[in-house]
Amino acid sequence: VLGAAEVNDPGLPEQQAAGVPSEGRRPPLVSGSWTAWLASLAPWSATLFLLGLARSAPAVVEASYSRGAYPQLSWLLSQVSGAWAALTGSAFRDGVSPSLSELCLLGLPVAAFRVLRGGWRRGGLAAVARQALALSGGGALLFLLLWGLNYSRLPLATSLGLEVTGVSATELDGVAAELEAQLSVEFSAGWEARLGVSPEAALREALLAWEEAVERQPVLGRGGGVVVRPALSGGLVRAGISGIFSPFTQEAHVAGHLPAPDLLFTACHELAHARGWAREDEANYLAWRVGSRATSSELRAAARLLTLGHVLAALGRADRGALVARLEGMDPQVEAAMVARARFWDRERSRTASRAASAVNDAYLRSQGQEGVASYGRMVDLLVAEWRAGGGALPAGDPR
């Protein structure tokens, strides 16, 4: 009855002024007062204002947010996602059930469609546009408050007292030689035979390593973070992605069927994000720093193996001849481990999906003030700075 009354009502003047369509008329394409448009832009205005303020005062962000409010937010969100992981088993069982983030992603398009459809019925395209602006701006503001402000904190090098300067090919070759020598020791102790470490063990070792690292050095950051194996692990690997961190749920997603070294390193990398280190180069370096000092020999070797790959890539850009010489004289066990990783990614990764995912990731990183996907490689600068600070040496062996 109510619906019939609305259809037959020719529309009061005040309804028409508000953009409510009368009988036989379509919703206007442009409607609404300027105050309505300003209101829809308010979330984006607040986001950009807060972002500009944060980037102008990194020391304030470091003290008041990254080491103040954020660890509390991280812990609270982790309680929710941790309860979901415990209920569904998504923490250690690959592909059994979706993570909390995946579940939210499934419902998000439906909820957005319902909201925008309601806007269309009330005020046409203009109302839909205003709602889209308000929703996207609200999401950006929520992202910033829950985690994104960490992009504006002080550099990790400042917190750790590392002096990052230009890196020479000679230094890169020296770091690569030391990493290879340390890997040779790990492999001779039997680590290579345990390359099949279970994903469950790998994720638990990464969590334990971070707990140990923060106990030794609280500056690395306290907080929450839940490691989960997403139901969409296969899709991630096809796109060339080993892990993703969700700031809205504090879930560190690690693809379940990765090689053991990638599992271990990726878990440490994503947990670095959970601890408030948003920049990719810093998260990569922290995966090395935490892993190389772990009591787990598997994790120490994984950190060295993947870090060696980054260093060799940087050496190739700096001096191709030095890279060729390094590869020709490489320990056969180390070479075999690197070849095994390369074969896995060649076999599992889709070039098309990988390029698309890389383009999206590059755009996201640039929107956060980073140098796109190239920012992953700058971990080598931090690594060489640590090598210099150690007198030309990197940590080796069980820290106990």
Side-chain angles (χ1 to χ4, degrees), residues 298-378:
E298 291 88 355
L299 187 45
R300 292 198 306 272
R304 292 181 176 116
L305 183 63
L306 270 77
T307 300
L308 176 59
H310 285 282
V311 174
L312 291 176
L315 179 60
R317 292 190 294 270
D319 187 336
R320 186 70 181 175
L323 173 63
V324 171
R326 173 62 48 199
L327 293 176
E328 287 177 347
M330 181 171 286
D331 183 318
Q333 294 184 97
V334 176
E335 182 181 5
M338 297 189 72
V339 168
R341 286 192 62 243
R343 285 177 177 170
F344 169 84
W345 286 107
D346 287 343
R347 181 178 68 253
E348 298 291 335
R349 178 169 47 194
S350 163
R351 291 186 179 182
T352 302
S354 180
R355 282 195 294 267
S358 180
V360 171
N361 194 30
D362 186 78
Y364 163 73
L365 293 173
R366 291 183 186 281
S367 73
Q368 301 303 317
Q370 298 190 77
E371 296 178 9
V373 292
S375 64
Y376 286 88
R378 287 187 287 131

Side-chain angles (χ1 to χ4, degrees), residues 71-362:
Q72 306 303 318
L73 286 170
S74 174
W75 184 85
L76 287 172
L77 291 171
S78 297
Q79 301 311 298
V80 178
S81 54
W84 173 262
L87 179 66
T88 62
S90 61
F92 300 114
R93 291 186 299 179
D94 187 26
V96 174
S97 60
S99 67
L100 189 57
S101 299
E102 290 175 302
L103 190 67
C104 292
L105 277 176
L106 289 173
L108 187 62
V110 176
F113 174 76
R114 290 177 64 88
V115 170
L116 295 176
R117 185 179 63 176
W120 172 262
R121 289 177 173 177
R122 289 191 301 272
L125 184 60
V128 171
R130 288 196 299 270
Q131 285 184 325
L133 281 172
L135 288 173
S136 60
L141 183 59
L142 184 63
F143 167 81
L144 198 63
L145 293 174
L146 290 181
W147 186 73
L149 284 173
N150 285 312
Y151 279 109
S152 301
R153 70 187 301 180
L154 289 172
L156 176 61
T158 301
S159 298
L160 295 178
L162 295 175
E163 185 178 352
V164 177
T165 59
V167 175
S168 69
T170 301
E171 289 175 317
L172 290 171
D173 191 52
V175 172
E178 185 170 359
L179 286 170
E180 183 184 342
Q182 291 178 355
L183 276 169
S184 297
V185 173
E186 295 283 2
F187 284 180
S188 65
W191 184 86
E192 189 179 17
R194 298 196 299 274
L195 281 175
V197 60
S198 70
E200 293 84 354
L203 300 185
R204 288 191 175 97
E205 286 176 4
L207 285 165
L208 178 60
W210 260 101
E211 291 174 4
E212 294 171 343
V214 173
E215 286 299 318
R216 292 193 302 266
Q217 201 168 16
V219 72
L220 294 182
R222 300 189 181 276
V226 178
V227 182
V228 296
R229 298 172 65 193
L232 298 177
S233 287
L236 290 179
V237 173
R238 291 288 290 170
I241 299 171
S242 56
I244 291 179
F245 175 69
S246 169
F248 300 101
T249 60
Q250 288 291 308
E251 290 172 309
H253 296 79
V254 181
H257 60 291
L258 295 172
D262 293 70
L263 268 171
L264 292 159
F265 191 88
T266 300
C268 284
H269 173 103
E270 301 305 333
L271 283 171
H273 286 320
R275 299 287 174 159
W277 302 102
R279 303 179 189 110
E280 295 299 335
D281 55 337
E282 295 179 347
N284 258 355
Y285 170 75
L286 285 171
W288 146 259
R289 189 179 183 96
V290 170
S292 64
R293 291 162 171 79
T295 55
S296 164
S297 62
E298 291 88 355
L299 187 45
R300 292 198 306 272
R304 292 181 176 116
L305 183 63
L306 270 77
T307 300
L308 176 59
H310 285 282
V311 174
L312 291 176
L315 179 60
R317 292 190 294 270
D319 187 336
R320 186 70 181 175
L323 173 63
V324 171
R326 173 62 48 199
L327 293 176
E328 287 177 347
M330 181 171 286
D331 183 318
Q333 294 184 97
V334 176
E335 182 181 5
M338 297 189 72
V339 168
R341 286 192 62 243
R343 285 177 177 170
F344 169 84
W345 286 107
D346 287 343
R347 181 178 68 253
E348 298 291 335
R349 178 169 47 194
S350 163
R351 291 186 179 182
T352 302
S354 180
R355 282 195 294 267
S358 180
V360 171
N361 194 30
D362 186 78

